[in-house]
Every structure is written in structure tokens, then in C-alpha cells.
């Protein structure tokens, strides 16, 4: 008989952390992963050391609840302007064993690219490999970041889309950082930004467009595409916006990691890798404010004056004699969805 029990430990500024205790036969020789739990902001240790021996016996309900609660605390602290507390909670999230476990599960079990390796050729398909991965992720430092592997997938009109695939360890670490950073930025993102945001989808954008068209005086819908948006994001701009956050050394490392294509190393001077878990958030950080900017723009639109039959009126006198009669109207952006 073996099981991993879960206890809840609650201290000030400390995540409700799942403490895993193993009950097992002495002769069993499964893979182990030791998980020493973190300290709070006052330096008080949570004096529990767990041993995760069986991936199947982890209580995912408790793990998910721990991460969700800590995300909510980061969101509330940021929303209330308590930046010092928010950063402390983000540091806690980066060290959280629950966050690491959830990130490993996401990358190695839930994501469609779970069987795609990076340049190191490592994947974690079996439960034992996932348990071993825990210690690798905990020991992973910014200087350990490896270049991504460049592959191509088909897109519309016969073109190919380049994807840069980080190693499994880097992908897990990106998922860890994502859970720390996402609730922080969700407090300030524009209200009509829908792409790659939790709890939002294309259907929400469609609904808002429908409401604007049917319930207001809006007459125009402009559908635009930012050419190679992921490839052209400015690294200095992103780094400047996130330089104050815990985990910045990792994000800087991923931006500058480069990629290998046909065994040739390529530097990345701009852009964020498509295929990277952290890239959608970085893209949203770069695009944040575009709606406010476009809303301040106006454009003068020229119209030809026509009669009831649709014929254009021609000037019969003055300096514009013989030329079409023209009227002008001012066009202004009322709302931007992206």
C-alpha cells in the first residue's frame, strides 16, 4: 500500500503548499524527487521536506488550488498598488513546488507538443521521467538556457511558419514564470484585448463587435494584421517594461537564446519565439496601449457628392469648374480589439 498524502500549511505571505509524504514498502526502488519547501518573507522556514515518489498519486486538485490562490493574491496585490507585496508573491510563485508540478503536467501531458524535443533531444513521456524532471527544473538557472530548435509547419497559401522549440526544461520554466507574471499584467491590460488572455477568446471579441455595431453609431469595421508581429518585437522595449519583475533574468535569456537550424546557430536580435510558452504574454505586453494610441487618431475621408440616381455632381463655376463636387468627413477609431 502506498499513497501520497497532502497537508495544507498556511503562514503569512506563504502559499498554501501541498506537502507530500510518502508511505511505501522499504524495498521499493522507484524514482524519488525531494522537494524542500520555501520560506516566507520573514525568513521563517516551513519545516517540511517531502518526497515525491509516484507521479500518479499526486493530488492535482490540491496542487491546482494552491496555484490558483497564489495567482489571485498576486492579482489583488497588484490591483491595490501593493507592488512590494506583489513582487514577494511572484518570487514565491517562482519557487512553488505546486507551480512546478502544474507546469510539468502542462508541458509533458496536456500540450500538443509534449512529444517534441528541443535541441537536447529530451522528452518526459513516462511518469518516472516526469518525477526526475522536478529536480532538473528546480536546479535550472538562466545560464543553463539552451537555444531553441527551428522547425517549420505549413500555413495558408502554401507558406511555412517558423517555430522555435525550446527544450522541455525551458518550456516548463516558462510555464512557471507565466503563472507568476500573468496575474500581474492582467490588472493593466486594455479592456478590449482578447488574444492569449485567460478567460477570454475570439468569441468575446466577436460579441463586443456585434454589440458596437448594433447598439451604437459605428459604421466601419477595419480588419488589420500586424505583419510578423512575433518576429519584430523589440527586445529592449520588452526588457524595459519587465525589468523590475522577479524572473527577468530567465526572460532575457530566452529572448537572447537564439536558435539552431540545420545545426547552424542563429542569433535573435528581435522577436520572441513562436512555439514558446511565454511568447503570447510577451506579445501582449508589447501590444498593450495600441488601442489607446489608435483611439487618438483621426482621418479625413473624401466623398464624391452624388444625386439620387448615383451620378456625381460636377462643379459648374469657380476654380473647380468641371471637376467633381467633393465633401469631407472625419473618421475616428472608437474601439480597438486585438
Amino acid at each position: 500500500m502506498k499513497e501520497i498524502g497532502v497537508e495544507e500549511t498556511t503562514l503569512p505571505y506563504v502559499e498554501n503548499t501541498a506537502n507530500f509524504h510518502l508511505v511505501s514498502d522499504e524495498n521499493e526502488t522507484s524514482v524519488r524527487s525531494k522537494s524542500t519547501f520555501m520560506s516566507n518573507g520573514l525568513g521563517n522556514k516551513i519545516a517540511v521536506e517531502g518526497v515525491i515518489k509516484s507521479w500518479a498519486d499526486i493530488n492535482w486538485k490540491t496542487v491546482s488550488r494552491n496555484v490558483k490562490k497564489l495567482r489571485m493574491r498576486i492579482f489583488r496585490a497588484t490591483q491595490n498598488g501593493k507592488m512590494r507585496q506583489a513582487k514577494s508573491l511572484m518570487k514565491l510563485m517562482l519557487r512553488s513546488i505546486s507551480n512546478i508540478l502544474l507546469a510539468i503536467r502542462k508541458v509533458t501531458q496536456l500540450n500538443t507538443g509534449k512529444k517534441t524535443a528541443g535541441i537536447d533531444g529530451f522528452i518526459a513521456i513516462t511518469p518516472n521521467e516526469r518525477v526526475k524532471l522536478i529536480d532538473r527544473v528546480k536546479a535550472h538557472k538562466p545560464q543553463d538556457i539552451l537555444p531553441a530548435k527551428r522547425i517549420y509547419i505549413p500555413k495558408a497559401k502554401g507558406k511555412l511558419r517558423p517555430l522555435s522549440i525550446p527544450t522541455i526544461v525551458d518550456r516548463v520554466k516558462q510555464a512557471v514564470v507565466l503563472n507568476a507574471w500573468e496575474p500581474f499584467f492582467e490588472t493593466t491590460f486594455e479592456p478590449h484585448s482578447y488574444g492569449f488572455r485567460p478567460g477570454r477568446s475570439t468569441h468575446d471579441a466577436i460579441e463586443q463587435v456585434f454589440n458596437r455595431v448594433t447598439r451604437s453609431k459605428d459604421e466601419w469595421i477595419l480588419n488589420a494584421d500586424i505583419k510578423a508581429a512575433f518576429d519584430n518585437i523589440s527586445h529592449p522595449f520588452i526588457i524595459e517594461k519587465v525589468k523590475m519583475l522577479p524572473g527577468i533574468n530567465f526572460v532575457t535569456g530566452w529572448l537572447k537564446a537564439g536558435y539552431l537550424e540545420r545545426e547552424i546557430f542563429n542569433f535573435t536580435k528581435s522577436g520572441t519565439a513562436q512555439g514558446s510558452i511565454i511568447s503570447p504574454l510577451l506579445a501582449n505586453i508589447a501590444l498593450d496601449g495600441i488601442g489607446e494610441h489608435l483611439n487618438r487618431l483621426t482621418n479625413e475621408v473624401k466623398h464624391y457628392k452624388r444625386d439620387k440616381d448615383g451620378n456625381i455632381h460636377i462643379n459648374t463655376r469657380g476654380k473647380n469648374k468641371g471637376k467633381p463636387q467633393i465633401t469631407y468627413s472625419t473618421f475616428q477609431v472608437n474601439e480597438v480589439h486585438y
Side-chain angles (χ1 to χ4, degrees):
M1 174 75 183
K2 62 176 182 178
E3 71 176 38
I4 294 177
V6 178
E7 295 179 1
E8 292 285 346
T9 304
T10 306
L11 292 175
Y13 298 102
V14 176
E15 173 201 8
N16 289 337
T17 306
N19 297 324
F20 299 92
H21 300 280
L22 184 67
V23 179
S24 178
D25 295 335
E26 292 182 0
N27 297 328
E28 189 160 7
T29 57
S30 304
V31 177
R32 297 186 177 206
S33 177
K34 293 185 178 180
S35 301
T36 305
F37 287 75
M38 68 291 293
S39 61
N40 64 9
L42 303 176
N44 300 323
K45 299 290 182 181
I46 303 176
V48 178
E49 182 171 298
V51 177
I52 300 173
K53 195 172 180 181
S54 173
W55 186 259
D57 292 334
I58 295 173
N59 189 326
W60 290 110
K61 183 177 180 180
T62 300
V63 168
S64 299
R65 183 174 67 243
N66 292 338
V67 174
K68 182 179 179 180
K69 284 183 178 179
L70 192 47
R71 281 176 60 101
M72 291 173 63
R73 292 177 66 189
I74 294 170
F75 181 89
R76 285 197 298 267
T78 309
Q79 195 174 46
N80 294 331
K82 299 178 180 179
M83 292 299 109
R84 187 174 179 181
Q85 182 182 355
K87 291 177 185 178
S88 295
L89 292 169
M90 292 169 78
K91 291 177 182 178
L92 188 61
M93 180 70 93
L94 294 176
R95 299 193 303 265
S96 164
I97 186 63
S98 291
N99 191 20
I100 292 172
L101 290 173
L102 210 60
I104 292 174
R105 188 186 187 207
K106 176 180 180 179
V107 171
T108 66
Q109 290 185 274
L110 304 180
N111 284 6
T112 54
K114 59 188 176 224
K115 294 183 181 180
T116 305
I119 64 169
D120 60 353
F122 174 75
I123 55 176
I125 298 299
T126 68
N128 280 357
E129 288 172 337
R130 295 185 187 112
V131 172
K132 289 179 181 178
L133 189 55
I134 297 170
D135 289 329
R136 289 187 61 177
V137 172
K138 288 175 63 179
H140 195 59
K141 306 296 181 186
Q143 58 267 29
D144 300 326
I145 293 172
L146 293 175
K149 180 174 72 174
R150 175 59 60 91
I151 64 172
Y152 292 87
I153 60 172
K155 58 181 296 188
K157 298 180 181 179
K159 297 181 180 180
L160 295 175
R161 182 190 303 278
L163 293 183
S164 295
I165 308 298
T167 63
I168 288 287
V169 178
D170 276 322
R171 272 180 270 169
V172 172
K173 200 70 179 183
Q174 288 179 9
V176 169
V177 173
L178 182 67
N179 269 332
W181 282 23
E182 197 171 56
F184 178 88
F185 284 103
E186 278 296 313
T187 62
T188 58
F189 279 158
E190 293 183 309
H192 297 301
S193 163
Y194 297 96
F196 303 109
R197 292 185 60 186
R200 296 186 173 214
S201 69
T202 307
H203 296 289
D204 298 309
I206 293 172
E207 181 181 359
Q208 182 62 16
V209 170
F210 177 81
N211 290 337
R212 293 287 308 194
V213 171
T214 57
R215 301 176 187 177
S216 70
K217 296 181 180 179
D218 295 336
E219 297 179 357
W220 296 86
I221 298 175
L222 174 64
N223 181 25
D225 181 30
I226 301 175
K227 185 178 180 180
F230 281 92
D231 297 332
N232 294 317
I233 290 173
S234 167
H235 288 175
F237 178 83
I238 288 290
I239 292 170
E240 179 64 26
K241 292 197 74 170
V242 302
K243 64 182 181 181
M244 70 295 189
L245 299 181
I248 176 59
N249 291 338
F250 280 103
V251 172
T252 302
W254 290 319
L255 288 173
K256 302 294 185 182
Y259 62 90
L260 281 180
E261 183 176 5
R262 297 176 182 175
E263 300 185 356
I264 298 175
F265 176 76
N266 297 269
F267 290 96
T268 46
K269 297 180 180 179
S270 65
T272 177
Q274 294 188 62
S276 169
I277 289 175
I278 200 75
S279 288
L281 176 62
L282 298 181
N284 274 332
I285 292 171
L287 291 172
D288 188 44
I290 192 173
E292 182 182 349
H293 173 72
L294 292 176
N295 285 343
R296 294 196 297 264
L297 301 180
T298 58
N299 186 37
E300 198 171 56
V301 181
K302 180 172 68 174
H303 302 277
Y304 290 105
K305 192 173 182 181
R306 299 174 184 270
D307 59 23
K308 62 181 180 179
D309 296 322
N311 300 313
I312 297 176
H313 285 204
I314 304 296
N315 290 304
T316 58
R317 56 181 145 180
K319 65 179 181 179
N320 292 321
K321 183 178 178 180
K323 295 181 180 180
Q325 293 184 13
I326 298 173
T327 59
Y328 293 90
S329 61
T330 301
F331 169 75
Q332 182 173 4
V333 177
N334 290 326
E335 194 169 277
V336 179
H337 301 166
Y338 60 94

